[in-house]
Amino acid sequence: MAAGSAIQIPSRLPLLLTHEGVLLPGSTMRTSVDSPRNMQLVRSRLLKGTSLRSTIIGVIPNTSDPTSDCDDLPSLHRIGTAALAVQVVGSNWPKPHYTLLVTGLCRFQILQLLKEKPYPVAEVEQLDRLEQFTNQHKSEEELGELSEQFYKYAVQLVEMLDMSVPAVAKLRRLLDNLPREALPDILTSIIRTSNQEKLQILDAVRLEERFKMTIPLLVRQIEGLKLLQKTRKPKQDDDKRVVAIRPTRRINHIPGTTEDEEEEEDHDDVVMLEKKIRTSSMSEQALKVCLKEIKRLKKMPQSMPEYALTRNYLELMVELPWNKSTKDRLEIRAARILLDNDHYAMEKLKKRVLEYLAVRQLKNNLKGPILCFVGPPGVGKTSVGRSIAKTLGREFHRIALGGVCDQSDIRGHRRTYVGSMPGRIINGLKTVGVNNPVFLLDEVDKLGKSLQGDPAAALLEVLDPEQNHSFTDHYLNVAFDLSQVLFIATANTTATIPPALLDRMEIIQVPGYTQEEKIEIAHRHLIPKQLEQHGLTPQQIQIPQVTTLDIITRYTREAGVRSLDRKLGAICRAVAVKVAEGQHKETKPDRAEVGEGEDCKEHVTEDAKTESISDTADLALPPEMPILIDFHALKDILGPPMYEMEVSERLSQPGVAIGLAWTPLGGEIMFVEASRMDGEGQLTLTGQLGDVMKESAHLAISWLRSNAKRYQLANASGSFDLLDNTDIHLHFPAGAVTKDGPSAGVTIVTCLASLFSGRLVCSDVAMTGEITLRGLVLPVGGIKDKVLAAHRAGLKRVIIPQRNEKDLEEIAVNVRQDLTFVLASCLDEVLNAAFDGGFAVKPRVERLNSKL
Ligand code: ADP
């Protein structure tokens, strides 16, 4: 043993008592230490010691140390292994212990135990060294033969193992380099041996004896391995020589078997792909790139990940509609009829679309602004886009841009990325299979922005007629001509569309619908569509107009018709169940007469014998057709009404006024509430207001304070300074929704005027308008949506700024007829119109007037 002979181990060694495992010289063992004596040894000898000598300990096998400190030391095994502690790792879990890594150096025998506590220390005699020097010459011949025999077995054993494993190769080298005497110990600790056998080897102090004892162990291991290899033979072949196996198989392979076919097939596929590439009508630049790629593909082994990538790329290139287009059939008269048939109302939008199409018919080119429909959800923006595609005889594809915040969503990922793919535009073209579809870019106002670039910037290129004939998707990496694609965009508001993008588009506002329009849309389009979808016929279900109106006013509050459509769907589902049950029951002979339902028949205009669905709740009675949906049935199906006309109730105290607000979802009525209390003149605003709205509130208060005397407005203590000892709280309900804008100015003034005068604001009046400190009323936006909201809410009068008069022309005649408009240019006029009998001004003002 080279190491053993070189090191003189100390004559006094601390002893580590191990129970499991036997450490032999030349091998390494990990052992857990938790008994008090062993722990002490680690702590005071290994962790505190600083010299190399202090890391040498004696490992005594097969002796479990008692768990308690005071227990007597058990009898120790006579022979042990001097070892070097290489590593100590401490842990507190599950109980305090150390894990020791020790490497065996040489055998020793205990001569005398010097002390037992805190850990045993013994005087020792180094054995291996004595053996080497005394016996080496004496028995060289005999040992030579034995060691030669041992060496051969050892080599045989190691070579049976997988030499590609680095540790095995290293072991093979060690067999040649190590002194032969060291081999029995090392191999015994490597091969499968029991603790008992290892102990015997440790005890075999004489080298000759050790060789003799280990040879049978080696032979046993070799036989075991042979047996194992016999049973595993075929599999081992497989994984040992994966690379070499293919050519050998080819030689003795019978043609016609599946693998051959597969490879042939793959080869055929590539040839086919090449053929497709050559015959496809792709641009010259694209063809060049594809041919280069297919050349690379042919040389690539299929197992390479790039093979699949390249193939996918080439397949996409072949599939793209480079030159394939549908023939436009554009006839303006037909287009008008189709648009009218598909959509009720929306005259302005239809007019502009027809103009656009007419220009296209005359000019036969697409260069022109991109149409962008802006309006609340559910007003038919997408659906008009679809109709345009239909009138042109083109394919339609919708690209949802809501939430897209990565420009590679539009322009694709470069092919170097794992999982790269083309952008949505190229994907859309692949889906429709023609190069002149109608692309609807839905929700351009909801494009996001992130670190991955600005998708709006990528869209600019797509939408610019000057650039888009050579749009380069990062994945394709060659230009694709998008100039034949007709782009239409939709948005809820223009406020969040990036200005550069807005500049490329022509905005067409699509306002919300009036109640009458909604009823018409429901009966002309939505109900027939829902009936068809649910397999019902008009003979089975009847929804009178009053019911539709009920759904519109009591179950939905929206500018568009999407919720209305959903509610109608729910009704159809409920009726479908009844109809299906009825068909089932009809076979039963004993049908009872339906006695109830008299009151609901009042609503029915038709003569047909009808029956309310609510009255057919008893399943024993099959319904009679058609099933009439009256208000009771509505309640049964949709639950109690969600919205009630609450306007008059809420205006029953002073300090409340109704304003009109514009949101991307359409117009809405908004209650403004005010209250006053004793305080120090503070103004509190609640309801998530933006800065502009807060300023409006301050403006309103200031104007009222400066005009309090004129209007005889006083606070609780009778002072004309309204904030004297008084706090004011203004609240804008629906507190979770952020509100901003200047148009609430007039409403706040009216609300405060009502609070301080103690008079009620008329319950049927709503208002909008910006105010100035001098009391002028300035124009605001969104008048049409706001007026529609007032109409929806059943209000009768609307106060709007004088300068918004022109906007009234856009409003449907029937709505205008239902409402009275007050055009105000100053706040006096607003207040006069908002209170019954006007809001009197102190005569002093009249005197002033007469002077003028
Ligand atoms: P948007 O794109 O504006 O959110 P959609 O186009 O998806 O709304 O319209 C929602 C539903 O309402 C569609 O089923 C559509 O057919 C219907 N719809 C909306 N407006 C009209 C209309 N004027 N005439 C007929 N159907 C309409």
Side-chain angles (χ1 to χ4, degrees), residues 520-673:
E520 283 302 321
I521 293 172
H523 284 267
R524 286 173 194 227
H525 300 282
L526 305 182
I527 295 177
K529 205 166 67 189
Q530 288 292 352
L531 292 190
E532 193 195 320
Q533 276 175 11
H534 290 87
L536 294 170
T537 61
Q539 285 74 45
Q540 290 166 323
I541 175 173
Q542 199 182 40
I543 306 178
Q545 296 213 342
V546 274
T547 306
T548 319
L549 186 64
D550 268 340
I551 303 173
I552 293 167
T553 53
R554 294 172 150 199
Y555 289 91
T556 67
R557 185 159 283 182
E558 55 170 357
V561 291
R562 200 167 281 157
S563 293
L564 173 63
D565 198 24
R566 265 200 301 272
K567 300 284 176 212
L568 289 171
I571 292 170
C572 288
R573 279 198 300 278
V575 170
V577 174
K578 293 285 164 197
V579 171
E581 272 169 1
Q583 280 173 354
H584 180 65
K585 296 255 163 60
E586 243 160 48
T587 48
K588 285 191 176 179
D590 52 340
R591 268 185 69 178
E593 272 301 312
V594 186
E596 299 168 44
E598 293 299 319
D599 50 353
C600 35
K601 276 177 198 165
E602 288 167 19
H603 298 292
V604 193
T605 42
E606 281 83 356
D607 289 340
K609 196 182 175 201
T610 56
E611 178 192 349
S612 158
I613 195 164
S614 57
D615 299 326
T616 60
D618 180 2
L619 295 183
L621 308 174
E624 281 187 27
M625 304 296 166
I627 294 176
L628 170 78
I629 307 297
D630 62 359
F631 184 62
H632 300 284
L634 216 52
K635 246 174 142 178
D636 263 4
I637 300 168
L638 301 179
M642 290 176 184
Y643 308 99
E644 287 293 355
M645 288 292 173
E646 49 182 354
V647 176
S648 48
E649 275 167 42
R650 294 189 62 170
L651 287 174
S652 58
Q653 327 173 7
V656 185
I658 305 170
L660 293 170
W662 182 89
T663 73
L665 308 182
E668 267 180 30
I669 62 163
M670 175 178 68
F671 290 91
V672 180
E673 297 173 351

Side-chain angles (χ1 to χ4, degrees), residues 342-346 376-384 513 521 525-526 529 561-562 565:
D342 282 357
H343 298 96
Y344 179 78
M346 26 172 53
V379 290
K381 302 182 296 290
T382 314
S383 151
V384 169
Y513 296 115
I521 293 172
H525 300 282
L526 305 182
K529 205 166 67 189
V561 291
R562 200 167 281 157
D565 198 24

Side-chain angles (χ1 to χ4, degrees), residues 334-545:
R336 186 195 299 273
I337 293 170
L338 207 126
L339 271 179
D340 276 341
N341 281 350
D342 282 357
H343 298 96
Y344 179 78
M346 26 172 53
E347 298 309 331
K348 197 171 144 198
L349 175 69
K350 285 194 274 194
K351 189 167 149 246
R352 180 64 190 96
V353 167
L354 283 175
E355 283 167 11
Y356 183 81
L357 294 178
V359 174
R360 296 250 1 262
Q361 186 182 356
L362 298 178
K363 214 168 142 225
N364 206 12
N365 110 16
L366 270 176
K367 280 195 183 159
I370 310 290
L371 294 183
C372 177
F373 303 148
V374 178
V379 290
K381 302 182 296 290
T382 314
S383 151
V384 169
R386 199 169 270 125
S387 286
I388 293 178
K390 210 155 90 182
T391 51
L392 290 171
R394 287 186 174 208
E395 293 292 333
F396 176 81
H397 185 72
R398 178 172 161 267
I399 299 177
L401 294 177
V404 167
C405 58
D406 183 352
Q407 71 149 319
S408 29
D409 252 325
I410 308 289
R411 212 182 260 157
H413 296 268
R414 292 199 188 280
R415 257 193 309 144
T416 42
Y417 282 97
V418 178
S420 56
M421 50 183 182
R424 294 185 185 211
I425 306 284
I426 294 296
N427 244 337
L429 285 168
K430 184 185 140 197
T431 312
V432 294
V434 286
N435 67 1
N436 64 341
V438 172
F439 269 169
L440 187 91
L441 305 173
D442 219 359
E443 323 224 23
V444 276
D445 56 331
K446 295 189 186 60
L447 278 176
K449 218 183 220 183
S450 71
L451 288 179
Q452 276 78 36
D454 183 0
L459 262 191
L460 281 183
E461 190 191 338
V462 173
L463 297 182
D464 190 346
E466 304 300 329
Q467 291 184 45
N468 69 8
H469 59 267
S470 60
F471 169 73
T472 307
D473 184 283
H474 285 159
Y475 181 82
L476 289 197
N477 214 12
V478 288
F480 193 95
D481 183 3
L482 293 182
S483 61
Q484 294 307 308
V485 180
L486 174 62
F487 290 102
I488 296 173
T490 76
N492 289 144
T493 167
T494 51
T496 50
I497 302 180
L501 203 56
L502 200 60
D503 195 42
R504 298 248 187 322
M505 301 191 290
E506 179 181 335
I507 304 294
I508 302 179
Q509 295 284 353
V510 193
Y513 296 115
T514 61
Q515 279 172 9
E516 287 71 22
E517 282 171 343
K518 283 186 189 177
I519 293 176
E520 283 302 321
I521 293 172
H523 284 267
R524 286 173 194 227
H525 300 282
L526 305 182
I527 295 177
K529 205 166 67 189
Q530 288 292 352
L531 292 190
E532 193 195 320
Q533 276 175 11
H534 290 87
L536 294 170
T537 61
Q539 285 74 45
Q540 290 166 323
I541 175 173
Q542 199 182 40
I543 306 178
Q545 296 213 342

Side-chain angles (χ1 to χ4, degrees), residues 11 27 35 75 109 218 691 732 762:
S11 55
S27 65
S35 69
S75 61
Q109 80 170 340
L218 273 187
D691 287 343
F732 296 73
C762 296

Side-chain angles (χ1 to χ4, degrees), residues 40-330:
Q40 268 304 330
L41 185 147
V42 174
R43 267 188 220 127
S44 42
R45 176 85 182 200
L46 298 182
L47 297 180
K48 289 211 179 113
T50 47
S51 64
L52 180 66
R53 278 178 87 86
S54 64
T55 60
I56 299 177
I57 54 173
V59 180
I60 302 291
N62 225 20
T63 321
S64 70
D65 196 16
T67 45
S68 159
D69 207 5
C70 50
D71 285 359
D72 287 342
L73 195 68
S75 61
L76 302 177
H77 193 80
R78 196 177 50 89
I79 293 177
T81 309
L84 199 65
V86 182
Q87 190 187 47
V88 182
V89 180
S91 167
N92 264 338
W93 199 86
K95 58 178 182 177
H97 71 278
Y98 292 104
T99 304
L100 266 187
L101 188 69
V102 284
T103 298
L105 300 173
C106 61
R107 285 176 181 72
F108 68 85
Q109 80 170 340
I110 299 174
L111 295 179
Q112 191 191 353
L113 200 62
L114 296 177
K115 63 170 187 170
E116 289 188 14
K117 281 181 182 174
Y119 51 86
V121 178
E123 192 180 338
V124 299
E125 180 193 2
Q126 188 170 344
L127 292 179
D128 283 339
R129 188 181 166 195
L130 286 172
E131 184 87 0
Q132 276 176 24
F133 286 103
T134 47
N135 293 342
Q136 202 171 22
H137 298 289
K138 219 168 71 181
S139 55
E140 200 172 45
E141 262 182 25
E142 189 196 344
L143 254 190
E145 214 176 275
L146 258 178
S147 75
E148 196 55 34
Q149 198 184 359
F150 181 89
Y151 173 76
K152 275 188 189 149
Y153 279 126
V155 171
Q156 186 186 354
L157 174 71
V158 174
E159 285 186 345
M160 286 175 84
L161 304 175
D162 186 355
M163 292 297 276
S164 62
V165 178
V168 177
K170 194 171 170 191
L171 181 63
R172 176 68 189 83
R173 282 198 302 277
L174 276 180
L175 287 184
D176 290 337
N177 296 340
L178 281 176
R180 297 271 162 95
E181 304 92 273
L183 292 183
D185 283 336
I186 293 178
L187 278 152
T188 308
S189 50
I190 291 173
I191 61 177
R192 193 179 289 249
T193 46
S194 68
N195 267 354
Q196 201 50 42
E197 284 163 339
K198 278 190 192 136
L199 207 61
Q200 280 171 7
I201 303 293
L202 181 72
D203 288 347
V205 178
R206 285 182 54 228
L207 196 55
E208 178 195 349
E209 195 186 339
R210 221 181 293 163
F211 273 124
K212 279 186 181 157
M213 283 173 84
T214 35
I215 287 176
L217 298 179
L218 273 187
V219 173
R220 187 183 69 192
Q221 185 74 44
I222 291 169
E223 292 304 318
L225 267 181
K226 275 186 186 160
L227 211 68
L228 203 69
Q229 284 183 354
K230 241 185 234 167
T231 52
R232 281 209 203 143
K233 194 113 189 152
K235 187 175 177 287
Q236 214 190 23
D237 266 4
D238 263 354
D239 41 32
K240 254 194 179 173
R241 279 176 279 277
V242 186
V243 193
I245 222 157
R246 276 198 166 231
T248 18
R249 248 201 233 170
R250 242 177 209 211
I251 296 162
N252 21 355
H253 196 61
I254 309 146
T257 53
T258 38
E259 265 151 45
D260 226 16
E261 271 169 17
E262 257 172 38
E263 287 197 5
E264 290 281 299
E265 246 173 46
D266 282 337
H267 184 69
D268 279 358
D269 269 2
V270 177
V271 174
M272 282 282 280
L273 198 58
E274 187 175 357
K275 219 187 209 167
K276 275 192 209 161
I277 289 170
R278 287 186 190 281
T279 51
S280 82
S281 48
M282 63 177 78
S283 66
E284 220 171 275
Q285 184 199 10
L287 185 68
K288 228 172 171 180
V289 173
C290 282
L291 290 178
K292 206 169 111 198
E293 289 292 320
I294 201 127
K295 222 172 179 181
R296 266 166 30 89
L297 191 73
K298 280 181 186 166
K299 286 185 200 149
M300 240 183 255
Q302 282 180 26
S303 51
M304 238 171 115
E306 214 190 324
Y307 182 88
L309 284 183
T310 314
R311 219 184 135 131
N312 284 350
Y313 170 74
L314 289 172
E315 271 164 11
L316 173 74
M317 291 292 266
V318 170
E319 269 179 64
L320 279 183
W322 296 91
N323 228 344
K324 211 169 130 202
S325 53
T326 47
K327 199 167 170 341
D328 273 3
R329 50 177 160 82
L330 190 65

Side-chain angles (χ1 to χ4, degrees), residues 815-834:
V815 175
R816 267 191 280 170
Q817 279 169 352
D818 284 352
L819 295 171
T820 313
F821 293 97
V822 179
L823 303 169
S825 55
C826 64
L827 279 171
D828 291 340
E829 288 167 9
V830 173
L831 292 179
N832 270 332

